[in-house]
Amino acid sequence: MSHAEIELKFCVPDPREFRARALAAGFALQTPRTMERNALFDTPERRLLSERQVLRLREYGGQWVLTHKRPPAHNDDSSFYKERLETETVVGDGAAMGAVFVELGYTPVFRYEKFRTEFHDGEGALVLDETPIGDFAELEGQPEWIDRALERLNIPREWCFTDSYGRMFLDWKERSGSTAENMTFDEISVPSLR
C-alpha cells in the first residue's frame, strides 16, 4: 500500500534519557530496542539514486519488509519536512527477494544497521535509532503533529534535519576519514550496550 511519509530527524545525545523523555511526553512504547538491518539496491550506474528513488530490503524483528520510496509529484525540497511516497510489503524470504533483485540487474549498494526503539501516541510515530555513527530520533506524521511533538519533547526546530542515513553516512565518512563502505556495526564499531 502506498502512502505519504512525512518525517523529520534530530540528534539524540543520550538514548536512555531520551527514552524516559519520550514516555514522559505521552508516547507509548510500541517496539522495544530491536536490531534492524537494511540493504539498498540499485543498478550499477545508480539509476534509482539519480531519480531520487529508494529500493530497500529490511530485516526487523524477524520480519522482512520490501520498501520503495520516491518524491511526490509536488515535491518541495525547500520544505522543513521530508516527504516521500512509500510503498511497502512484507516479504516471506528476504534472501530470495534479494536474489531476484540481483537477477533483474539490481545489486546491494549500501547496507546500514541500527537498534530501533519505536513509540507512538495514537497520532504519529517517534523512533529512536542507535547507529554506528550516532544516535538519532525521527518523527513521522503530519507536519502539524510533528511541530507539536517537537514542543512536547522540548526539541528546538534548529536541531532538525531531513537527511537520509545514506547522506548522513557519507557526511560522517568525510568528517571522520573512515574507509567503511557500509554503516554497519562490524565495519564501524562495537554495538552499544545502552
Side-chain angles (χ1 to χ4, degrees):
M1 187 75 172
S2 286
H3 70 278
E5 175 191 61
I6 303 170
E7 64 184 31
L8 202 58
K9 288 186 178 77
F10 53 90
C11 295
V12 172
D14 181 342
R16 282 188 182 144
E17 183 276 333
F18 187 78
R19 280 190 281 271
R21 183 191 310 189
L23 294 172
F27 288 91
L29 180 66
Q30 185 175 19
T31 306
R33 188 174 188 265
T34 302
M35 172 59 88
E36 177 186 294
R37 292 181 176 86
N38 300 274
L40 301 184
F41 288 79
D42 206 339
T43 62
E45 59 280 353
R46 304 293 194 270
R47 181 180 62 82
L48 294 177
L49 178 63
S50 71
E51 296 172 357
R52 300 175 65 194
Q53 297 186 63
V54 171
L55 181 61
R56 179 183 69 206
L57 192 55
R58 169 177 285 171
E59 181 187 13
Y60 181 61
Q63 188 173 59
W64 290 92
V65 177
L66 172 62
T67 305
H68 174 260
K69 296 185 184 191
R70 67 176 177 82
H74 64 279
N75 192 53
D76 178 4
D77 285 332
S78 66
S79 174
F80 182 65
Y81 314 94
K82 181 177 184 177
E83 183 175 353
R84 295 288 177 262
L85 291 179
E86 181 178 83
T87 305
E88 285 190 323
T89 189
V90 173
V91 175
D93 186 334
M97 189 79 252
V100 169
F101 288 154
V102 170
E103 290 298 320
L104 293 173
Y106 295 92
T107 58
V109 295
F110 178 57
R111 295 178 191 278
Y112 63 104
E113 298 174 334
K114 53 196 174 184
F115 287 98
R116 173 165 274 190
T117 306
E118 295 180 290
F119 302 88
H120 210 281
D121 71 351
E123 193 176 345
L126 167 65
V127 299
L128 170 61
D129 288 337
E130 298 168 74
T131 82
I133 63 169
D135 303 321
F136 308 93
E138 184 176 287
L139 290 165
E140 184 179 332
Q142 292 302 308
E144 303 79 20
W145 176 84
I146 291 174
D147 291 343
R148 290 193 310 272
L150 288 172
E151 287 179 24
R152 287 165 47 198
L153 293 165
N154 197 27
I155 303 295
R157 287 174 66 90
E158 57 268 19
W159 289 9
C160 300
F161 55 93
T162 59
D163 293 343
S164 68
Y165 279 112
R167 174 79 264 153
M168 292 163 64
F169 175 69
L170 292 175
D171 291 346
W172 173 83
K173 276 186 63 157
E174 187 175 316
R175 288 191 314 273
S176 69
S178 174
T179 59
E181 292 299 316
N182 296 287
M183 195 176 86
T184 63
F185 290 104
D186 283 344
E187 286 191 52
I188 296 174
S189 66
V190 177
S192 168
L193 300 176
R194 293 177 273 226

